[in-house]
Amino acid sequence: ICDKYFPKVDDFFPKDERVKKENQILKELSKNEISELDFRLYLKSYLSHFDNEHTHISLSELPATGYPFIPFHLDSSWYILNLAKEYDLDLIGKKIIAFNDVKISDYEKKLFEFISAENETSKRRALLNWWYRPALHEFIKGEKMDSIKLTVETGQSFWLKKITAGEASWHRNEQDFGAHPISR
């Protein structure tokens, strides 16, 4: 379908790389039965190579679990925007330097392998909704994960346990962030 309908496909995802990725995915798919979510993640990783936000697949019916933090990015750095109250309030605003002991810039590149967007800024914006969702991290690691480890700029590390959506009581609420003067 991509060969037929994507204009100048070889300019974005050269045929030799495309065939290599296709063979890699087909090999993985032939190993055992996989879930629909895993199939969609393999397909998402393939489509991300087109670097086009219109060439993507949605991940329907994601499990209603997550890690109780909300990140945000500024330029190429990631920070903690919010945390569940069971974690130290002073961690909010801290720069994240590692995710599960992997340097944040390296881990971000692993996540970029699933994001269809034209540039790194657009990819980071698309990642905002993925950092706290277990599905992608578990797919990358190849196993279920009950918790993740964040390391911040002070060198402090802490574990965030997976929770069911809606269970977290957050340090900050919507009204704490205020409206931007232009959008008031």
Side-chain angles (χ1 to χ4, degrees), residues 51-131:
D51 290 329
N52 182 308
E53 66 185 276
H54 300 289
T55 308
H56 73 283
I57 185 170
S58 67
L59 298 177
S60 60
E61 299 184 33
L62 284 173
T65 58
Y67 302 110
F69 84 109
I70 299 172
F72 74 100
H73 66 93
L74 182 62
D75 298 324
S76 61
S77 297
W78 288 93
Y79 298 85
I80 298 172
L81 178 67
N82 205 354
L83 279 170
K85 285 184 179 178
E86 65 191 79
Y87 300 96
D88 185 359
L89 173 66
D90 291 336
L91 292 168
I92 293 176
K94 298 285 188 229
K95 182 178 180 179
I96 303 168
I97 61 168
F99 186 94
N100 286 340
D101 294 325
V102 177
K103 187 176 153 186
I104 197 72
S105 59
D106 293 340
Y107 197 79
E108 177 188 63
K109 287 177 188 163
K110 289 181 183 187
L111 293 174
F112 280 172
E113 290 291 317
F114 298 88
I115 303 298
S116 300
E118 289 80 4
N119 56 57
E120 287 188 355
T121 301
S122 295
K123 287 181 182 191
R124 284 188 185 99
R125 187 175 51 243
L127 279 180
L128 285 171
N129 293 322
W130 284 104
W131 286 103

Side-chain angles (χ1 to χ4, degrees), residues 97-180:
I97 61 168
F99 186 94
N100 286 340
D101 294 325
V102 177
K103 187 176 153 186
I104 197 72
S105 59
D106 293 340
Y107 197 79
E108 177 188 63
K109 287 177 188 163
K110 289 181 183 187
L111 293 174
F112 280 172
E113 290 291 317
F114 298 88
I115 303 298
S116 300
E118 289 80 4
N119 56 57
E120 287 188 355
T121 301
S122 295
K123 287 181 182 191
R124 284 188 185 99
R125 187 175 51 243
L127 279 180
L128 285 171
N129 293 322
W130 284 104
W131 286 103
Y132 58 86
R133 293 179 181 260
L136 206 52
H137 306 299
E138 291 174 347
F139 187 82
I140 289 169
K141 191 169 183 179
E143 62 185 56
K144 296 287 182 195
M145 297 168 36
D146 289 333
S147 57
I148 57 168
K149 182 180 178 185
L150 292 182
T151 305
V152 294
E153 60 194 326
T154 61
Q156 181 183 3
S157 294
F158 60 100
W159 291 91
L160 294 163
K161 293 190 72 64
K162 188 188 307 184
I163 61 169
T164 301
E167 282 184 356
S169 176
W170 299 94
H171 280 294
R172 302 280 184 228
N173 294 310
E174 247 181 71
Q175 63 270 20
D176 294 331
F177 294 103
H180 191 282

